[in-house]
Amino acid sequence: MNSTSACPLDCYDACRVTLDENAKLKGDKEHPITRGYLCPNLNHFNQAERLTAPMFRGEEISMERAVELLIEALKSSKSSETLYYRGSGNVGLMQRSVEHFFAGINAVGTSGSLCDGAGEAGVLAGRGSNEVLIPSMLEESEVVILWGRNPHTTHSHVLPFLEGKKIIVIDPVKTAMAHKADLHIQIKPHGDMYLALLLSRFAIIEGLHDKDFLEEYASGYSDFYELTQSVRIKATLDAIDVTLGEIGSILEMVQGKKTAILVGIGVQKYRNGADVLRAIDGFAAVMGLFGKRGCGVSFLGNSLSGIELPFKPISHRVSKPTVDFSKYNCVFIQGSNPLAQMPNSDSVTRSFESAGFSVYFGLYANETSRSSDLVIPAKTFLEKNDFRSSYGDYTLQEMPQLSQSSTGISEYELTHLLCDAFGVAFEREAYYLDFFRNQIEYSEGVGYRKNAPQIPYETGFQNGEFEFLDEVDLEMDASEGFNLITPKYSKGLNSQFKRSTGVYFHPEAGFEEGEIVRLSSPSGSVEMAVKHDGTLRRDCLLIYSGTPQVNVLTPSLLSYEGESAVYQETKIKVTKK
């Protein structure tokens, strides 16, 4: 008899999985998103080499001793000198129980994002709330614009819903979907905001805008149109490598059509990332794409929207992308690999090594676990009770314990031991499980968050009206160097599972396959082997997220809004050895 759970991985799809009598994971055929198919990462989940025993400075110890050492370290550290750092990829809601303990001892937490913070800030500024288009909403779409999103890698379960649609791809990489698309705009990186502004400008000039929608829900469009007129047309088109003909083709394809725009995170990996999303949303508003069936703009949603949490939150926080570990006597890392994933990783490594006592709590060995004083293995999603929501839809799914293992400790179990040691109030596990279970609303056998919208923004916007961009910095980066692109790797997930190596260039970029080149930025330099990829622009280089040492090159800067890392902000100089 099969047992059912949900995928624990950091992904749009939040698949429902079954575990059969042979302990094999399979996709649930009855689930409206999963449809019986699992991605390669989850298919090989049980093959990934996990941490099997607690370690203290290279020596294997018992779990009891590991907890004792952790308690000793916490008791010897002031609350203001204790840092709790949780990875955003911890999608299970029970995983947040650990923060409850650290909030109880007044430790320092983190805020901001290594992923989507700038883009979400832009969405919230314009719409007031961040609602997504679930895959089934695309069934009524006639045109789908994939703006910097590569569904074959990041959102594979949406692919069946794109069949039969007119597809426009806006991406500096000729992705698998771009090869099949009706139109591919191979835009220069960081050119998306300018393209969106020009699309809005020409849509209004040509009378393609939705006047009725704008008058009712976005009356500031006249001022927005004036803003778009400040964009110098020829100079901007040359700078972003887009033609007037391509702009005309986009407008011709979407005119009068139910159009959905799916936006990826790459477009907002810059300091002005919030403005990029606001400009794209602005174009959608001009065309009247919000609040209608088969229409809208979808970025990463807020997986906690509409969910009440029973755990106490930390009140004092520092910025996650720029945190200085050396300021803390005790650093607790949960389910993250900041030494590889944070920008300016050479500086991060030095600050981490200068911290007092460091603890890594997670499933897999990585750069951070190898540099930590104490390593505590966690349990897999099959070995504990949890719930998960999604940033790609509105599901809320239970993840019951399906197997037993003597390896690791669950988040609840560890939190329970710590709360007991420090006198922090903490409930029985059943209380928390019921707390989340009572927030699920079932429809046709699938659990959803209560009050999920059937059509996003059908009744208007949270702020009353859509708010357009009212000012923007139109100065473009004219510095020398290659534009850095850092997409997700199809065979891995951030720094989990398989990790890519090397740097990818177009074959005509001037570098030989296999030669070693030095890559340099203001943050640092690394040497990597060259690989060729004809899908790239000649002015770009691509290093997959999770590639060892990629973040030596990325800057420790924050987005202007959203407190987000800006991995693609600086250009890369390349020299031959």
Side-chain angles (χ1 to χ4, degrees):
M1 181 177 179
N2 290 336
S3 299
T4 303
S5 185
C7 172
L9 301 180
D10 181 7
C11 170
Y12 289 97
D13 295 329
C15 289
R16 192 160 71 185
V17 300
T18 61
L19 185 71
D20 66 17
E21 59 274 6
N22 298 314
K24 181 175 176 58
L25 291 171
K26 296 181 178 180
D28 188 338
K29 295 180 180 180
E30 304 302 318
H31 191 265
I33 306 298
T34 309
R35 297 183 172 189
Y37 162 74
L38 296 181
C39 73
N41 288 330
L42 193 59
N43 266 325
H44 301 120
F45 183 83
N46 287 329
Q47 300 173 22
E49 188 175 346
R50 63 185 289 195
L51 294 168
T52 57
M55 303 287 289
F56 177 59
R57 294 173 180 164
E59 299 289 333
E60 186 173 319
I61 58 174
S62 68
M63 184 61 73
E64 292 76 12
R65 180 57 181 152
V67 174
E68 288 175 1
L69 288 169
L70 174 57
I71 291 172
E72 290 172 8
L74 290 167
K75 286 187 173 180
S76 64
S77 178
K78 297 178 181 178
S79 60
S80 61
E81 296 175 349
T82 299
L83 177 71
Y84 169 67
Y85 184 109
R86 183 178 61 83
S88 57
N90 290 252
V91 296
L93 297 175
M94 287 295 289
Q95 292 175 324
R96 294 176 175 271
S97 62
V98 183
E99 181 175 338
H100 178 93
F101 162 72
F102 283 96
I105 63 169
N106 297 313
V108 179
T110 61
S111 58
S113 170
L114 298 182
C115 181
D116 61 325
E120 183 173 47
V123 169
L124 294 176
R127 308 184 213 166
S129 63
N130 184 6
E131 297 177 7
V132 297
L133 300 172
I134 66 174
S136 61
M137 293 177 183
L138 302 177
E139 291 179 331
E140 296 188 48
S141 302
E142 297 169 282
V143 178
V144 176
I145 301 177
L146 296 168
W147 203 319
R149 188 184 293 194
N150 180 9
H152 283 85
T153 296
T154 63
H155 197 187
S156 58
H157 285 85
V158 79
L159 292 172
F161 297 91
L162 301 181
E163 294 178 3
K165 316 296 181 187
K166 290 287 187 180
I167 301 294
I168 299 171
V169 173
I170 302 172
D171 201 304
V173 180
K174 194 172 183 65
T175 61
M177 188 57 72
H179 281 282
K180 303 176 182 178
D182 298 274
L183 176 64
H184 175 213
I185 309 296
Q186 196 162 14
I187 191 171
K188 189 173 183 178
H190 210 176
D192 307 278
M193 180 185 72
Y194 306 97
L195 174 57
L197 292 172
L198 287 173
L199 284 169
S200 296
R201 179 175 177 175
F202 283 103
I204 295 174
I205 290 173
E206 298 295 327
L208 305 179
H209 54 301
D210 189 329
K211 294 181 182 178
D212 292 339
F213 173 87
L214 292 169
E215 291 294 342
E216 183 172 1
Y217 295 113
S219 59
Y221 74 95
S222 295
D223 291 337
F224 180 60
Y225 174 59
E226 287 188 20
L227 177 68
T228 68
Q229 290 180 301
S230 65
V231 180
R232 297 169 57 208
I233 296 175
K234 186 180 185 306
T236 300
L237 290 174
D238 289 343
I240 66 176
D241 198 15
V242 176
T243 68
L244 271 177
E246 288 173 324
I247 287 179
S249 295
I250 294 174
L251 294 176
E252 183 180 356
M253 289 178 68
V254 304
Q255 180 183 0
K257 302 295 183 181
K258 293 180 178 180
T259 301
I261 304 175
L262 306 183
V263 184
I265 65 170
V267 304
Q268 53 90 70
K269 291 183 178 181
Y270 305 95
R271 301 204 78 180
N272 69 338
D275 287 349
V276 176
L277 263 292
R278 292 196 71 182
I280 294 172
D281 272 1
F283 169 60
V286 165
M287 301 302 292
L289 299 182
F290 289 109
K292 301 173 182 176
R293 292 187 177 276
C295 300
V297 182
S298 195
F299 184 56
L300 273 73
N302 182 351
S303 61
L304 293 180
S305 177
I307 296 176
E308 186 179 354
L309 296 175
F311 307 120
K312 183 178 180 180
I314 288 176
S315 56
H316 178 53
R317 299 175 183 270
V318 294
S319 176
K320 178 176 289 184
T322 58
V323 61
D324 183 354
F325 294 109
S326 68
K327 294 181 177 180
Y328 301 94
N329 286 332
C330 185
V331 174
F332 185 96
I333 307 293
Q334 179 187 347
S336 184
N337 185 13
L339 271 64
Q341 295 170 314
M342 282 178 63
N344 197 359
S345 55
D346 273 354
S347 176
V348 171
T349 299
R350 290 192 294 270
S351 84
F352 191 80
E353 292 173 347
S354 299
F357 190 83
S358 53
V359 183
Y360 173 83
F361 176 42
L363 280 172
Y364 305 110
N366 54 39
E367 289 90 337
T368 304
S369 70
R370 288 188 285 272
S371 294
S372 296
D373 294 299
L374 179 63
V375 176
I376 301 177
K379 287 194 177 295
T380 73
F381 76 106
L382 298 170
E383 300 162 355
K384 62 188 179 185
N385 294 303
D386 211 334
F387 290 80
R388 78 153 294 169
S389 56
S390 169
Y391 52 74
D393 57 45
Y394 295 100
T395 53
L396 178 54
Q397 304 180 78
E398 186 162 2
M399 303 168 69
Q401 181 179 345
L402 300 181
S403 63
Q404 298 286 338
S405 174
S406 59
T407 300
I409 186 170
S410 73
E411 289 81 8
Y412 175 83
E413 291 170 328
L414 181 59
T415 304
H416 178 73
L417 293 171
L418 293 175
C419 286
D420 275 357
F422 284 79
V424 175
F426 195 56
E427 300 289 345
R428 294 177 298 108
E429 184 177 36
Y431 168 84
Y432 296 113
L433 298 178
D434 285 340
F435 189 94
F436 290 121
R437 192 175 290 122
N438 292 334
Q439 297 184 60
I440 300 177
E441 189 171 79
Y442 285 92
S443 174
E444 298 182 355
V446 179
Y448 295 92
R449 290 176 251 173
K450 294 180 178 179
N451 302 316
Q454 296 300 309
I455 301 175
Y457 310 106
E458 184 177 20
T459 59
F461 299 96
Q462 186 168 304
N463 297 334
E465 284 201 6
F466 179 84
E467 298 286 344
F468 286 101
L469 264 174
D470 54 7
E471 60 179 354
V472 65
D473 182 359
L474 294 174
E475 184 177 349
M476 303 188 76
D477 182 5
S479 61
E480 295 184 355
F482 284 82
N483 295 285
L484 173 63
I485 306 174
T486 58
K488 286 193 174 182
Y489 185 46
S490 62
K491 299 179 181 179
L493 188 62
N494 302 322
S495 61
Q496 297 179 35
F497 310 114
K498 292 184 179 180
R499 298 170 71 174
S500 178
T501 58
V503 54
Y504 292 80
F505 291 92
H506 189 279
E508 297 178 7
F511 304 100
E512 296 297 323
E513 177 98 25
E515 77 170 296
I516 305 299
V517 294
R518 176 168 288 277
L519 311 173
S520 302
S521 77
S523 301
S525 62
V526 295
E527 293 181 358
M528 289 188 179
V530 170
K531 298 182 179 182
H532 283 170
D533 185 346
T535 69
L536 300 177
R537 291 175 52 94
R538 290 166 179 79
D539 57 2
C540 297
L541 62 84
L542 182 151
I543 308 176
Y544 285 106
S545 172
T547 298
Q549 294 192 299
V550 58
N551 285 317
V552 170
L553 301 169
T554 56
S556 54
L557 299 172
L558 292 175
S559 57
Y560 295 128
E561 298 174 63
E563 203 177 359
S564 188
V566 290
Y567 293 104
Q568 298 176 177
E569 178 70 19
T570 55
K571 291 185 177 179
I572 308 300
K573 294 183 178 179
V574 184
T575 53
K576 297 186 177 184
K577 287 199 66 179

